[in-house]
Amino acid sequence: MPQHDGRHTAETTHRSVPSPGGRIHLVEQGSGPLVLLVHGFPESWYSWRHQLPAIAAAGYRAVAIDVRGYGRSSKPAATDAYRMLHLVEDNVAVVRALGEETAVVVGHDWGSPIAANSALLRPEVFRAVGLLSVPYTPRGGPRPGDVFARMGGEEELYVSYFQRPGRAEAEIEPDVRGWLAGLYAALSADTMPAPGAPDPHFVGRGATMRERFPAGRLPAWLGEKELDFYAGEFERTGFTGALNRYRNMDRDWEDLATFDGAPVTQPSLFIGGGLDASTTWLADAIEAYPVTLPGLVSSHILDGCGHWIQQERPAEVNRLLTDWLSALPA
């Protein structure tokens, strides 16, 4: 069906395919080698709307999914249904349902560790991996929940704030559109709080996240129509499925113990935003790429770019992705 993103109309096909958790909704365009696009929080397949036509035009079968718990994909009730092992198997199920043996997997935000772990756990399926915004960090160190709990000091890191079921939902769901607008603005280059302002990644004791979000102005990449799309998806689904990803970090740490310190060896790509906390806080992880991503083809930091990089800088990201894809072994 046609999808209009405000700049161009492109023919895309929507369908759902079987997965271990029920069904995965996907959007595909083009033909050729399969490129699987995995979104992050709080987004949907729609965050790849600029990449689908560009990757298809470059000679690939571009497929963007709604991750389990999002959009039109299944939303299992159990919190532990959102552990990393299950999300990897969802990706494998999509590849198989599309009649393919292998795929390139590309992820943004939470999609980045989902993509990296797909490549790590199922290297026979995922022949190359692209990581956007969130660098690869091998499993290791102390339990993640303990690490994040210590990061806030007198305040609380958003990751810890998300842990208790129902707590963040109570903040977000009465005004999904307003909350999304604020979060997207807080992490976008042109609308993020000024240096020295209270950090929106942290929550004051007894406060809410939205108290630190910018108000009254949308980032340049986000029009009212795009915001309406995202808000409509989450108003229908609620936020529990999306937040359950955060609620499985310690479970993932236990599940992946045998992969402690393991590198991802397939050909890889990293693109980060110069103003994105995911990039700056994890600078040591990027420096470790010669060890952790020995197959790294190229790594790029986009100056003056925030967190939503494939939407903030679609032309640049499309060029980097398609150049990288064209250089991969057949």
Side-chain angles (χ1 to χ4, degrees):
M1 62 188 294
Q3 288 291 330
H4 188 58
D5 74 358
R7 301 187 200 182
H8 56 255
T9 301
E11 292 297 324
T12 54
T13 301
H14 289 246
R15 58 170 149 152
S16 294
V17 298
S19 72
R23 300 196 307 160
I24 294 293
H25 168 248
L26 60 87
V27 181
E28 80 176 292
Q29 186 171 356
S31 59
L34 177 60
V35 180
L36 186 66
L37 304 169
V38 186
H39 68 80
F41 176 92
E43 300 177 90
S44 85
W45 74 266
Y46 188 69
S47 67
W48 300 106
R49 63 194 177 280
H50 304 299
Q51 284 66 53
L52 285 165
I55 293 171
Y60 298 89
R61 185 182 188 184
V63 173
I65 64 170
D66 279 334
V67 172
R68 178 188 298 216
Y70 285 83
R72 299 185 183 279
S73 291
S74 294
K75 298 157 197 65
T79 300
D80 66 0
Y82 298 84
R83 68 209 306 161
M84 184 62 73
L85 293 178
H86 293 331
L87 300 182
V88 169
E89 288 309 308
D90 283 347
N91 285 350
V92 174
V94 169
V95 175
R96 297 290 183 250
L98 293 173
E100 303 285 354
E101 293 297 319
T102 63
V104 175
V105 61
V106 179
H108 169 256
D109 183 79
W110 259 121
S112 177
I114 295 170
N117 280 285
S118 295
L120 180 67
L121 299 177
R122 299 299 299 269
E124 79 284 6
V125 177
F126 299 102
R127 62 187 182 92
V129 58
L131 310 175
L132 275 59
S133 292
V134 176
Y136 175 58
T137 54
R139 187 267 184 211
R143 185 178 295 272
D146 296 338
V147 174
F148 290 121
R150 289 195 297 267
M151 284 181 65
E154 291 301 308
E155 299 180 333
E156 191 174 18
L157 184 69
Y158 72 98
V159 176
S160 299
Y161 179 75
F162 286 164
Q163 292 303 309
R164 191 172 78 237
R167 182 186 182 193
E169 288 93 329
E171 172 187 346
I172 301 168
E173 291 178 355
D175 177 21
V176 166
R177 192 178 192 277
W179 194 89
L180 287 173
L183 180 67
Y184 294 151
L187 304 186
S188 295
D190 57 333
T191 46
M192 62 177 51
D199 190 336
H201 294 90
F202 293 89
V203 185
R205 296 295 173 183
T208 60
M209 286 184 68
R210 73 165 66 222
E211 291 173 35
R212 295 187 176 180
F213 291 166
R217 187 159 73 97
L218 294 180
W221 64 267
L222 183 69
E224 298 286 348
K225 183 178 65 62
E226 287 83 10
L227 179 57
D228 283 343
F229 181 90
Y230 284 122
E233 293 292 271
F234 286 105
E235 284 166 350
R236 187 179 69 252
T237 65
F239 263 79
T240 297
L243 290 163
N244 279 344
R245 176 80 292 271
Y246 291 92
R247 295 165 184 161
N248 277 277
M249 293 183 309
D250 286 348
R251 194 172 281 113
D252 297 338
W253 182 79
E254 295 168 356
D255 287 344
L256 299 171
T258 57
F259 291 90
D260 195 78
V264 171
T265 60
Q266 291 96 317
S268 57
L269 166 74
F270 175 72
I271 312 172
L275 299 178
D276 184 2
S278 299
T279 300
T280 56
W281 289 358
L282 294 171
D284 289 350
I286 295 173
E287 290 179 10
Y289 279 169
V291 174
T292 61
L293 288 178
L296 185 69
V297 174
S298 59
S299 180
H300 310 269
I301 302 296
L302 307 186
D303 289 340
C305 186
H307 181 67
W308 319 102
I309 59 176
Q310 77 268 37
Q311 298 175 92
E312 291 187 52
R313 299 277 188 86
E316 200 168 352
V317 169
N318 289 351
R319 178 180 59 80
L320 293 172
L321 278 174
T322 55
D323 285 354
W324 172 67
L325 288 168
S326 69
L328 292 175

CSV table of all heavy atoms in Angstrom, one decimal, residues 17-75:
chain,number,residue,atom,x,y,z
A,17,VAL,N,3.9,-12.0,9.7
A,17,VAL,CA,4.4,-13.4,9.5
A,17,VAL,C,4.5,-14.0,10.9
A,17,VAL,O,4.6,-13.4,11.9
A,17,VAL,CB,5.8,-13.3,8.9
A,17,VAL,CG1,5.7,-12.7,7.5
A,17,VAL,CG2,6.8,-12.6,9.7
A,18,PRO,N,4.4,-15.4,10.9
A,18,PRO,CA,4.5,-16.1,12.2
A,18,PRO,C,5.8,-15.9,12.9
A,18,PRO,O,6.9,-15.8,12.2
A,18,PRO,CB,4.3,-17.6,11.8
A,18,PRO,CG,3.8,-17.5,10.4
A,18,PRO,CD,4.3,-16.3,9.8
A,19,SER,N,5.8,-15.8,14.2
A,19,SER,CA,7.0,-15.8,15.0
A,19,SER,C,6.8,-16.5,16.3
A,19,SER,O,5.6,-16.9,16.6
A,19,SER,CB,7.3,-14.3,15.3
A,19,SER,OG,6.4,-13.8,16.3
A,20,PRO,N,7.8,-16.8,17.1
A,20,PRO,CA,7.6,-17.6,18.3
A,20,PRO,C,6.7,-16.9,19.3
A,20,PRO,O,6.0,-17.6,20.1
A,20,PRO,CB,9.1,-17.7,18.9
A,20,PRO,CG,10.0,-17.6,17.7
A,20,PRO,CD,9.3,-16.6,16.8
A,21,GLY,N,6.6,-15.6,19.2
A,21,GLY,CA,5.7,-14.9,20.2
A,21,GLY,C,4.3,-14.6,19.6
A,21,GLY,O,3.5,-13.9,20.2
A,22,GLY,N,4.0,-15.1,18.4
A,22,GLY,CA,2.7,-14.8,17.7
A,22,GLY,C,2.9,-14.4,16.3
A,22,GLY,O,3.1,-15.3,15.4
A,23,ARG,N,2.9,-13.1,16.1
A,23,ARG,CA,3.1,-12.6,14.7
A,23,ARG,C,4.0,-11.3,14.8
A,23,ARG,O,3.9,-10.6,15.7
A,23,ARG,CB,1.8,-12.3,14.0
A,23,ARG,CG,0.9,-13.4,13.9
A,23,ARG,CD,-0.3,-13.2,12.9
A,23,ARG,NE,-1.0,-11.9,13.2
A,23,ARG,CZ,-1.7,-11.3,12.3
A,23,ARG,NH1,-1.8,-11.7,11.1
A,23,ARG,NH2,-2.4,-10.2,12.6
A,24,ILE,N,4.8,-11.1,13.7
A,24,ILE,CA,5.5,-9.9,13.5
A,24,ILE,C,5.0,-9.2,12.3
A,24,ILE,O,4.9,-9.8,11.2
A,24,ILE,CB,7.0,-10.2,13.4
A,24,ILE,CG1,7.6,-10.8,14.7
A,24,ILE,CG2,7.8,-8.9,13.0
A,24,ILE,CD1,7.7,-9.8,15.8
A,25,HIS,N,4.6,-7.9,12.5
A,25,HIS,CA,4.2,-7.1,11.4
A,25,HIS,C,5.5,-6.5,10.7
A,25,HIS,O,6.4,-6.1,11.4
A,25,HIS,CB,3.3,-5.9,11.9
A,25,HIS,CG,3.1,-4.9,10.9
A,25,HIS,ND1,3.6,-3.6,11.0
A,25,HIS,CD2,2.4,-4.9,9.7
A,25,HIS,CE1,3.2,-2.8,10.0
A,25,HIS,NE2,2.5,-3.6,9.2
A,26,LEU,N,5.5,-6.5,9.4
A,26,LEU,CA,6.6,-5.9,8.7
A,26,LEU,C,6.2,-5.1,7.5
A,26,LEU,O,5.0,-5.2,7.0
A,26,LEU,CB,7.6,-7.0,8.3
A,26,LEU,CG,7.1,-8.1,7.3
A,26,LEU,CD1,7.2,-7.7,5.9
A,26,LEU,CD2,7.8,-9.4,7.6
A,27,VAL,N,7.1,-4.3,7.1
A,27,VAL,CA,6.8,-3.4,5.9
A,27,VAL,C,8.0,-3.7,5.0
A,27,VAL,O,9.2,-3.6,5.4
A,27,VAL,CB,6.7,-1.9,6.2
A,27,VAL,CG1,6.5,-1.1,5.0
A,27,VAL,CG2,5.6,-1.7,7.3
A,28,GLU,N,7.8,-4.0,3.7
A,28,GLU,CA,8.9,-4.3,2.8
A,28,GLU,C,8.8,-3.5,1.5
A,28,GLU,O,7.7,-3.2,1.1
A,28,GLU,CB,9.0,-5.8,2.6
A,28,GLU,CG,8.1,-6.4,1.6
A,28,GLU,CD,8.4,-7.9,1.4
A,28,GLU,OE1,9.5,-8.2,0.8
A,28,GLU,OE2,7.6,-8.7,1.7
A,29,GLN,N,10.0,-3.4,0.9
A,29,GLN,CA,10.1,-2.7,-0.4
A,29,GLN,C,11.3,-3.2,-1.1
A,29,GLN,O,12.4,-3.3,-0.5
A,29,GLN,CB,10.2,-1.1,-0.1
A,29,GLN,CG,10.1,-0.3,-1.4
A,29,GLN,CD,10.0,1.2,-1.1
A,29,GLN,OE1,9.9,1.6,0.0
A,29,GLN,NE2,10.0,2.0,-2.1
A,30,GLY,N,11.2,-3.4,-2.4
A,30,GLY,CA,12.3,-3.7,-3.2
A,30,GLY,C,12.6,-5.2,-3.3
A,30,GLY,O,11.9,-6.0,-2.6
A,31,SER,N,13.6,-5.6,-4.0
A,31,SER,CA,14.0,-7.0,-4.2
A,31,SER,C,15.5,-7.1,-4.3
A,31,SER,O,16.2,-6.1,-4.6
A,31,SER,CB,13.3,-7.6,-5.5
A,31,SER,OG,13.8,-6.9,-6.6
A,32,GLY,N,16.0,-8.3,-3.9
A,32,GLY,CA,17.4,-8.5,-3.8
A,32,GLY,C,17.8,-9.0,-2.5
A,32,GLY,O,16.9,-9.6,-1.7
A,33,PRO,N,19.1,-8.9,-2.1
A,33,PRO,CA,19.5,-9.4,-0.7
A,33,PRO,C,18.7,-8.8,0.4
A,33,PRO,O,18.4,-7.6,0.3
A,33,PRO,CB,21.0,-9.1,-0.7
A,33,PRO,CG,21.4,-9.0,-2.1
A,33,PRO,CD,20.2,-8.4,-2.8
A,34,LEU,N,18.3,-9.5,1.4
A,34,LEU,CA,17.5,-9.0,2.5
A,34,LEU,C,18.2,-8.2,3.4
A,34,LEU,O,19.3,-8.5,3.9
A,34,LEU,CB,16.9,-10.2,3.2
A,34,LEU,CG,16.0,-9.9,4.4
A,34,LEU,CD1,14.8,-9.1,4.0
A,34,LEU,CD2,15.5,-11.2,5.0
A,35,VAL,N,17.7,-7.0,3.7
A,35,VAL,CA,18.2,-6.1,4.8
A,35,VAL,C,17.1,-5.9,5.8
A,35,VAL,O,16.0,-5.3,5.4
A,35,VAL,CB,18.6,-4.7,4.2
A,35,VAL,CG1,19.1,-3.8,5.3
A,35,VAL,CG2,19.7,-5.0,3.1
A,36,LEU,N,17.3,-6.4,7.0
A,36,LEU,CA,16.3,-6.3,8.1
A,36,LEU,C,16.5,-5.1,9.0
A,36,LEU,O,17.6,-5.0,9.5
A,36,LEU,CB,16.3,-7.6,8.9
A,36,LEU,CG,15.2,-7.8,9.9
A,36,LEU,CD1,13.8,-7.9,9.3
A,36,LEU,CD2,15.5,-9.0,10.8
A,37,LEU,N,15.5,-4.2,9.1
A,37,LEU,CA,15.7,-3.0,9.9
A,37,LEU,C,14.9,-3.1,11.2
A,37,LEU,O,13.7,-3.4,11.2
A,37,LEU,CB,15.1,-1.8,9.1
A,37,LEU,CG,15.8,-1.7,7.7
A,37,LEU,CD1,15.1,-0.7,6.8
A,37,LEU,CD2,17.3,-1.3,7.8
A,38,VAL,N,15.6,-2.9,12.3
A,38,VAL,CA,15.0,-3.1,13.7
A,38,VAL,C,15.0,-1.8,14.4
A,38,VAL,O,16.1,-1.2,14.7
A,38,VAL,CB,15.8,-4.2,14.4
A,38,VAL,CG1,15.1,-4.5,15.8
A,38,VAL,CG2,16.0,-5.4,13.6
A,39,HIS,N,13.8,-1.3,14.8
A,39,HIS,CA,13.7,0.0,15.5
A,39,HIS,C,14.0,-0.1,16.9
A,39,HIS,O,14.2,-1.1,17.5
A,39,HIS,CB,12.3,0.6,15.2
A,39,HIS,CG,11.2,-0.2,15.9
A,39,HIS,ND1,10.9,-0.1,17.3
A,39,HIS,CD2,10.4,-1.1,15.5
A,39,HIS,CE1,10.0,-0.8,17.6
A,39,HIS,NE2,9.6,-1.5,16.5
A,40,GLY,N,14.0,1.1,17.6
A,40,GLY,CA,14.2,1.2,19.0
A,40,GLY,C,13.0,1.8,19.8
A,40,GLY,O,11.9,1.7,19.3
A,41,PHE,N,13.3,2.3,20.9
A,41,PHE,CA,12.3,2.9,21.8
A,41,PHE,C,12.3,4.4,21.7
A,41,PHE,O,13.3,5.0,21.8
A,41,PHE,CB,12.6,2.4,23.3
A,41,PHE,CG,11.7,3.0,24.3
A,41,PHE,CD1,10.5,2.3,24.7
A,41,PHE,CD2,11.9,4.3,24.9
A,41,PHE,CE1,9.7,2.9,25.6
A,41,PHE,CE2,11.1,4.8,25.8
A,41,PHE,CZ,9.9,4.1,26.2
A,42,PRO,N,11.1,5.0,21.7
A,42,PRO,CA,9.8,4.4,21.5
A,42,PRO,C,9.3,4.7,20.1
A,42,PRO,O,8.8,5.7,19.8
A,42,PRO,CB,8.9,5.2,22.5
A,42,PRO,CG,9.6,6.5,22.6
A,42,PRO,CD,11.0,6.4,22.1
A,43,GLU,N,9.5,3.7,19.2
A,43,GLU,CA,9.3,4.0,17.8
A,43,GLU,C,8.5,2.9,17.1
A,43,GLU,O,7.7,2.2,17.8
A,43,GLU,CB,10.7,4.2,17.1
A,43,GLU,CG,11.4,5.4,17.7
A,43,GLU,CD,12.8,5.6,17.1
A,43,GLU,OE1,12.9,6.3,16.1
A,43,GLU,OE2,13.8,5.0,17.6
A,44,SER,N,8.8,2.6,15.9
A,44,SER,CA,8.1,1.6,15.1
A,44,SER,C,8.8,1.4,13.8
A,44,SER,O,9.8,2.0,13.5
A,44,SER,CB,6.6,2.0,14.9
A,44,SER,OG,6.4,2.7,13.7
A,45,TRP,N,8.2,0.5,13.0
A,45,TRP,CA,8.8,0.3,11.6
A,45,TRP,C,8.9,1.7,10.9
A,45,TRP,O,9.8,1.9,10.1
A,45,TRP,CB,7.9,-0.6,10.8
A,45,TRP,CG,6.6,0.1,10.3
A,45,TRP,CD1,5.4,0.0,10.9
A,45,TRP,CD2,6.5,0.9,9.2
A,45,TRP,NE1,4.5,0.8,10.2
A,45,TRP,CE2,5.1,1.4,9.2
A,45,TRP,CE3,7.3,1.4,8.2
A,45,TRP,CZ2,4.6,2.2,8.2
A,45,TRP,CZ3,6.8,2.2,7.2
A,45,TRP,CH2,5.5,2.6,7.2
A,46,TYR,N,8.0,2.6,11.3
A,46,TYR,CA,7.9,3.9,10.6
A,46,TYR,C,9.2,4.8,10.8
A,46,TYR,O,9.4,5.7,10.0
A,46,TYR,CB,6.7,4.6,11.2
A,46,TYR,CG,6.3,5.9,10.6
A,46,TYR,CD1,5.7,5.9,9.3
A,46,TYR,CD2,6.4,7.1,11.3
A,46,TYR,CE1,5.3,7.1,8.7
A,46,TYR,CE2,6.0,8.3,10.7
A,46,TYR,CZ,5.5,8.3,9.4
A,46,TYR,OH,5.0,9.5,8.8
A,47,SER,N,10.0,4.5,11.8
A,47,SER,CA,11.3,5.2,11.9
A,47,SER,C,12.2,5.0,10.8
A,47,SER,O,13.2,5.7,10.6
A,47,SER,CB,11.9,4.9,13.3
A,47,SER,OG,12.4,3.5,13.3
A,48,TRP,N,12.0,3.9,10.0
A,48,TRP,CA,12.8,3.6,8.8
A,48,TRP,C,12.2,4.1,7.5
A,48,TRP,O,12.6,3.6,6.4
A,48,TRP,CB,13.0,2.1,8.7
A,48,TRP,CG,13.7,1.5,9.9
A,48,TRP,CD1,13.2,0.8,10.9
A,48,TRP,CD2,15.1,1.6,10.3
A,48,TRP,NE1,14.1,0.4,11.9
A,48,TRP,CE2,15.4,0.9,11.5
A,48,TRP,CE3,16.2,2.3,9.6
A,48,TRP,CZ2,16.6,0.9,12.1
A,48,TRP,CZ3,17.5,2.2,10.2
A,48,TRP,CH2,17.7,1.5,11.4
A,49,ARG,N,11.2,4.9,7.6
A,49,ARG,CA,10.4,5.3,6.4
A,49,ARG,C,11.3,6.0,5.3
A,49,ARG,O,11.0,5.9,4.1
A,49,ARG,CB,9.3,6.3,6.7
A,49,ARG,CG,9.7,7.6,7.3
A,49,ARG,CD,8.5,8.3,8.0
A,49,ARG,NE,9.0,9.6,8.7
A,49,ARG,CZ,9.5,9.6,9.9
A,49,ARG,NH1,9.8,8.5,10.5
A,49,ARG,NH2,9.9,10.8,10.4
A,50,HIS,N,12.4,6.6,5.7
A,50,HIS,CA,13.3,7.3,4.7
A,50,HIS,C,14.3,6.2,4.2
A,50,HIS,O,14.8,6.4,3.1
A,50,HIS,CB,14.1,8.4,5.4
A,50,HIS,CG,13.2,9.5,6.0
A,50,HIS,ND1,12.3,10.2,5.3
A,50,HIS,CD2,13.1,9.9,7.3
A,50,HIS,CE1,11.7,11.1,6.1
A,50,HIS,NE2,12.2,10.9,7.3
A,51,GLN,N,14.6,5.2,4.9
A,51,GLN,CA,15.6,4.2,4.5
A,51,GLN,C,15.0,3.1,3.6
A,51,GLN,O,15.7,2.6,2.7
A,51,GLN,CB,16.2,3.5,5.7
A,51,GLN,CG,17.2,4.3,6.5
A,51,GLN,CD,16.6,5.6,7.1
A,51,GLN,OE1,15.6,5.4,7.9
A,51,GLN,NE2,17.1,6.7,6.8
A,52,LEU,N,13.7,2.8,3.8
A,52,LEU,CA,13.1,1.7,2.9
A,52,LEU,C,13.3,2.0,1.4
A,52,LEU,O,13.8,1.2,0.7
A,52,LEU,CB,11.6,1.5,3.3
A,52,LEU,CG,11.4,0.8,4.6
A,52,LEU,CD1,9.9,1.0,5.1
A,52,LEU,CD2,11.7,-0.7,4.5
A,53,PRO,N,12.9,3.2,0.9
A,53,PRO,CA,13.0,3.4,-0.5
A,53,PRO,C,14.4,3.5,-1.0
A,53,PRO,O,14.8,3.1,-2.1
A,53,PRO,CB,12.2,4.7,-0.7
A,53,PRO,CG,12.2,5.4,0.6
A,53,PRO,CD,12.1,4.3,1.6
A,54,ALA,N,15.3,4.1,-0.1
A,54,ALA,CA,16.7,4.2,-0.5
A,54,ALA,C,17.4,2.9,-0.6
A,54,ALA,O,18.2,2.6,-1.6
A,54,ALA,CB,17.4,5.1,0.5
A,55,ILE,N,17.2,2.0,0.3
A,55,ILE,CA,17.8,0.7,0.3
A,55,ILE,C,17.2,-0.1,-0.8
A,55,ILE,O,17.9,-0.9,-1.5
A,55,ILE,CB,17.6,0.0,1.7
A,55,ILE,CG1,18.4,0.7,2.8
A,55,ILE,CG2,18.0,-1.5,1.6
A,55,ILE,CD1,18.1,0.3,4.2
A,56,ALA,N,15.9,0.0,-1.1
A,56,ALA,CA,15.3,-0.7,-2.2
A,56,ALA,C,15.9,-0.2,-3.5
A,56,ALA,O,16.2,-1.0,-4.4
A,56,ALA,CB,13.8,-0.5,-2.2
A,57,ALA,N,16.0,1.1,-3.6
A,57,ALA,CA,16.6,1.6,-4.9
A,57,ALA,C,18.0,1.2,-5.1
A,57,ALA,O,18.5,1.2,-6.3
A,57,ALA,CB,16.5,3.2,-4.8
A,58,ALA,N,18.7,0.8,-4.1
A,58,ALA,CA,20.1,0.4,-4.2
A,58,ALA,C,20.2,-1.1,-4.6
A,58,ALA,O,21.3,-1.6,-4.7
A,58,ALA,CB,20.9,0.7,-2.9
A,59,GLY,N,19.0,-1.8,-4.7
A,59,GLY,CA,19.0,-3.2,-5.1
A,59,GLY,C,18.9,-4.2,-4.0
A,59,GLY,O,19.3,-5.3,-4.2
A,60,TYR,N,18.2,-3.8,-3.0
A,60,TYR,CA,18.0,-4.7,-1.8
A,60,TYR,C,16.5,-4.9,-1.5
A,60,TYR,O,15.7,-4.1,-1.9
A,60,TYR,CB,18.8,-4.2,-0.6
A,60,TYR,CG,20.2,-4.1,-0.8
A,60,TYR,CD1,20.8,-3.0,-1.4
A,60,TYR,CD2,21.1,-5.2,-0.6
A,60,TYR,CE1,22.1,-2.9,-1.6
A,60,TYR,CE2,22.4,-5.1,-0.8
A,60,TYR,CZ,23.0,-4.0,-1.3
A,60,TYR,OH,24.3,-3.9,-1.6
A,61,ARG,N,16.2,-6.0,-0.8
A,61,ARG,CA,14.9,-6.2,-0.2
A,61,ARG,C,14.9,-5.6,1.2
A,61,ARG,O,15.4,-6.2,2.1
A,61,ARG,CB,14.6,-7.7,-0.2
A,61,ARG,CG,13.2,-8.0,0.2
A,61,ARG,CD,13.0,-9.5,0.2
A,61,ARG,NE,11.6,-9.9,0.4
A,61,ARG,CZ,11.2,-11.2,0.6
A,61,ARG,NH1,12.1,-12.2,0.5
A,61,ARG,NH2,9.9,-11.5,0.8
A,62,ALA,N,14.4,-4.4,1.3
A,62,ALA,CA,14.4,-3.7,2.6
A,62,ALA,C,13.1,-4.1,3.4
A,62,ALA,O,12.0,-3.9,2.9
A,62,ALA,CB,14.4,-2.2,2.4
A,63,VAL,N,13.3,-4.5,4.6
A,63,VAL,CA,12.2,-4.9,5.5
A,63,VAL,C,12.3,-4.3,6.8
A,63,VAL,O,13.3,-4.5,7.5
A,63,VAL,CB,12.1,-6.5,5.6
A,63,VAL,CG1,11.1,-6.9,6.6
A,63,VAL,CG2,11.9,-7.1,4.2
A,64,ALA,N,11.4,-3.5,7.2
A,64,ALA,CA,11.3,-2.9,8.6
A,64,ALA,C,10.2,-3.6,9.4
A,64,ALA,O,9.1,-3.7,8.9
A,64,ALA,CB,11.1,-1.4,8.5
A,65,ILE,N,10.6,-4.0,10.6
A,65,ILE,CA,9.6,-4.7,11.4
A,65,ILE,C,9.1,-3.8,12.6
A,65,ILE,O,9.7,-2.8,12.9
A,65,ILE,CB,10.2,-6.0,12.1
A,65,ILE,CG1,11.3,-5.7,13.0
A,65,ILE,CG2,10.6,-7.0,11.0
A,65,ILE,CD1,11.8,-6.8,13.9
A,66,ASP,N,7.9,-4.2,13.1
A,66,ASP,CA,7.5,-3.7,14.4
A,66,ASP,C,8.0,-4.8,15.4
A,66,ASP,O,7.6,-6.0,15.3
A,66,ASP,CB,6.0,-3.7,14.5
A,66,ASP,CG,5.3,-2.4,13.9
A,66,ASP,OD1,6.0,-1.4,13.9
A,66,ASP,OD2,4.2,-2.5,13.5
A,67,VAL,N,8.9,-4.4,16.3
A,67,VAL,CA,9.5,-5.3,17.3
A,67,VAL,C,8.3,-5.8,18.1
A,67,VAL,O,7.3,-5.1,18.3
A,67,VAL,CB,10.5,-4.6,18.1
A,67,VAL,CG1,11.0,-5.4,19.3
A,67,VAL,CG2,11.7,-4.2,17.2
A,68,ARG,N,8.4,-7.1,18.6
A,68,ARG,CA,7.5,-7.6,19.5
A,68,ARG,C,7.1,-6.6,20.6
A,68,ARG,O,7.9,-6.0,21.2
A,68,ARG,CB,8.1,-8.9,20.2
A,68,ARG,CG,7.3,-9.6,21.2
A,68,ARG,CD,8.0,-10.6,22.0
A,68,ARG,NE,8.5,-11.7,21.1
A,68,ARG,CZ,8.6,-13.0,21.5
A,68,ARG,NH1,8.1,-13.4,22.7
A,68,ARG,NH2,9.1,-13.9,20.7
A,69,GLY,N,5.8,-6.5,20.8
A,69,GLY,CA,5.3,-5.5,21.8
A,69,GLY,C,4.9,-4.1,21.2
A,69,GLY,O,4.3,-3.3,21.9
A,70,TYR,N,5.3,-3.9,19.9
A,70,TYR,CA,5.0,-2.6,19.3
A,70,TYR,C,4.0,-2.8,18.1
A,70,TYR,O,3.9,-3.8,17.5
A,70,TYR,CB,6.3,-2.1,18.7
A,70,TYR,CG,7.3,-1.5,19.6
A,70,TYR,CD1,8.2,-2.3,20.3
A,70,TYR,CD2,7.4,-0.1,19.8
A,70,TYR,CE1,9.2,-1.8,21.1
A,70,TYR,CE2,8.4,0.4,20.7
A,70,TYR,CZ,9.3,-0.4,21.3
A,70,TYR,OH,10.2,0.1,22.2
A,71,GLY,N,3.4,-1.7,17.8
A,71,GLY,CA,2.6,-1.5,16.6
A,71,GLY,C,1.6,-2.7,16.4
A,71,GLY,O,0.8,-3.0,17.2
A,72,ARG,N,1.7,-3.3,15.2
A,72,ARG,CA,0.8,-4.4,14.8
A,72,ARG,C,1.4,-5.8,15.0
A,72,ARG,O,0.8,-6.8,14.6
A,72,ARG,CB,0.3,-4.2,13.4
A,72,ARG,CG,-0.4,-2.9,13.2
A,72,ARG,CD,-1.0,-2.6,11.9
A,72,ARG,NE,-1.6,-1.3,11.8
A,72,ARG,CZ,-2.8,-1.0,12.2
A,72,ARG,NH1,-3.5,-1.9,12.8
A,72,ARG,NH2,-3.2,0.2,12.1
A,73,SER,N,2.5,-5.9,15.7
A,73,SER,CA,3.1,-7.2,16.1
A,73,SER,C,2.4,-7.6,17.4
A,73,SER,O,1.8,-6.9,18.1
A,73,SER,CB,4.6,-7.1,16.3
A,73,SER,OG,5.2,-6.9,15.1
A,74,SER,N,2.6,-8.9,17.7
A,74,SER,CA,2.0,-9.5,18.9
A,74,SER,C,2.6,-8.9,20.1
A,74,SER,O,3.8,-8.5,20.2
A,74,SER,CB,2.2,-11.0,18.9
A,74,SER,OG,1.5,-11.6,17.8
A,75,LYS,N,1.8,-8.9,21.2
A,75,LYS,CA,2.2,-8.4,22.5
A,75,LYS,C,2.0,-9.4,23.6
A,75,LYS,O,1.0,-9.3,24.3
A,75,LYS,CB,1.4,-7.1,22.8
A,75,LYS,CG,1.7,-6.0,21.7
A,75,LYS,CD,0.6,-5.0,21.6
A,75,LYS,CE,0.7,-4.2,20.3
A,75,LYS,NZ,0.4,-5.1,19.1
